[in-house]
Amino acid sequence: MTAKPIAIACDHAGFPLKQALVAELEAMGEAVLDLGTDDAETSVDYPDFAERLARAIKEGRSERGILVCGTGLGISMAANRHPWVRAAPCHDETTARLSRQHNDANVLALGARIVGLEVAKDCLRSFLGTAFEGGRHERRVNKMA
Ligand code: RB5
């Protein structure tokens, strides 16, 4: 369990997976900061929800975030325009784990049209449960700042 709530946001395409991940996070005992969107029927723009989550991290309301859109790509691209965000679009447990070990990712991005629910849950558990390795990786991460 982490100290601050896990922030989560999505667009309409990501809504069903976001809901499943909110339930999974709560089952894991995590506090959740749900930043929307709130249904799958109303078409919305993923940059607006990436922005909400990036702001929550900047303001210290959360330290880790989950973003979901159709592919995980647009919403991670939008989030990564902020220098304090390192959003990793992940398609399997390995990329989720390495995004923490090597890249100190603070945001996991998932594609609801790409990954199935069990793979998404594996990514989530790995992302939250894996520490940054530091060392040579820290120098590289610092060069991105
Ligand atoms: C929405 O239809 C879709 O384009 C969006 O969720 C995402 O996949 C963009 O990268």
Side-chain angles (χ1 to χ4, degrees), residues 1-14:
M1 196 164 146
T2 52
K4 289 193 177 177
I6 307 297
I8 190 163
C10 68
D11 70 357
H12 54 287

Side-chain angles (χ1 to χ4, degrees), residues 5 9 20 24 27 30 33 44 76 78 81 85 87 96 104 109 119 128 138 140 142-143:
E24 183 69 11
E30 297 285 355
L33 177 64
V44 294
S76 60
R81 297 183 69 85
V85 172
D104 199 17
V119 172
L128 294 180
E138 186 156 26
R140 294 161 186 165
N142 287 342
K143 284 190 176 182

Side-chain angles (χ1 to χ4, degrees), residues 55-123:
R55 201 176 316 135
I57 291 177
K58 178 154 199 177
E59 292 169 356
R61 288 182 284 136
S62 177
E63 289 172 353
R64 296 275 186 99
I66 316 294
L67 288 171
V68 192
C69 69
T71 57
L73 298 179
I75 206 159
S76 60
M77 288 180 190
N80 278 326
R81 297 183 69 85
H82 299 287
W84 61 89
V85 172
R86 287 178 304 281
C90 295
H91 299 137
D92 52 41
E93 189 275 334
T94 307
T95 44
R97 176 170 50 79
L98 288 170
S99 80
R100 290 289 311 129
Q101 289 176 333
H102 290 193
N103 312 114
D104 199 17
N106 56 0
V107 174
L108 169 68
L110 294 167
R113 295 172 178 161
I114 307 297
V115 297
L117 179 57
E118 292 307 316
V119 172
K121 286 182 185 175
D122 286 346
C123 291

Side-chain angles (χ1 to χ4, degrees), residues 122-143:
D122 286 346
C123 291
L124 179 69
R125 280 188 288 264
S126 227
F127 177 75
L128 294 180
T130 304
F132 179 45
E133 281 182 0
R136 69 189 188 280
H137 302 298
E138 186 156 26
R139 183 181 69 243
R140 294 161 186 165
V141 168
N142 287 342
K143 284 190 176 182

